[in-house]
Amino acid sequence: MRLALEQARLAGERGEVPVGAVIVANGAVVAEAGNRTRELNDPTAHAELLAIRQACKKRAQERLEGCDLYVTLEPCTMCTAAISFARIRRLYFGAEDPKGGAVVSGVRFYSTPTCHHAPEVYAGIGESEAALLLREFFRSRRD
């Protein structure tokens, strides 16, 4: 999670919402990314999707079985679905997102009968630091 938090910090420095993601397999980092929606003018350029794309390219396959994803914020519906489709083994996330999250908040995608693969989910990892990054980012935008 430390690396995901660093990616979140870098995203915030770029003017992006500070969310970072890291994919790990067998103890080695396979991919890491921070949000780039503004930079790329791409509403799908969330940290999770960028990391998934990077890991799939690196492994030359569409599935990431045996991989774990660390992300600083509870994934949205789009990212939650992509995590399922990629067959990520475990999802670790920091802060919950009551407005946009889709794992333990909102639609709770992995609990729906249409979800074909649900990773093991571990919430609250690095939560206080992840939440602080987000609060400070949005506070600076309001000032």
Side-chain angles (χ1 to χ4, degrees), residues 65-81:
E65 293 167 338
C67 290
D68 301 331
L69 172 64
Y70 294 80
V71 62
T72 58
L73 182 64
E74 178 183 359
C76 69
T77 305
M78 173 180 67
C79 293
T80 302

Side-chain angles (χ1 to χ4, degrees), residues 77-107:
T77 305
M78 173 180 67
C79 293
T80 302
I83 291 163
S84 176
F85 295 148
R87 303 296 194 265
I88 298 281
R89 176 180 55 182
R90 293 184 193 108
L91 168 63
Y92 299 87
F93 72 85
E96 289 185 14
D97 185 357
K99 288 184 180 180
V103 179
V104 298
S105 306
V107 299

Side-chain angles (χ1 to χ4, degrees), residues 16 34-37 40 42-47 49-50 53 78:
E16 303 280 356
N35 275 357
R36 292 186 179 276
T37 58
L40 300 176
D42 179 355
T44 71
H46 290 195
L49 290 184
L50 295 173
R53 290 174 186 149
M78 173 180 67

Side-chain angles (χ1 to χ4, degrees), residues 3 22-30 66-68 70 89-90:
L3 294 174
V22 174
I23 295 177
V24 175
N26 301 318
V29 173
V30 177
C67 290
D68 301 331
Y70 294 80
R89 176 180 55 182
R90 293 184 193 108

Side-chain angles (χ1 to χ4, degrees), residues 5 18 72-73 94-96 126-138:
L5 287 163
T72 58
L73 182 64
E96 289 185 14
E127 179 178 15
S128 58
E129 191 171 351
L132 180 62
L133 280 172
L134 289 160
R135 276 194 308 275
E136 288 176 347
F137 176 81
F138 287 113

Side-chain angles (χ1 to χ4, degrees), residues 96-119:
E96 289 185 14
D97 185 357
K99 288 184 180 180
V103 179
V104 298
S105 306
V107 299
R108 294 185 171 107
F109 183 82
Y110 300 132
S111 300
T112 64
T114 56
C115 178
H116 297 290
H117 168 79

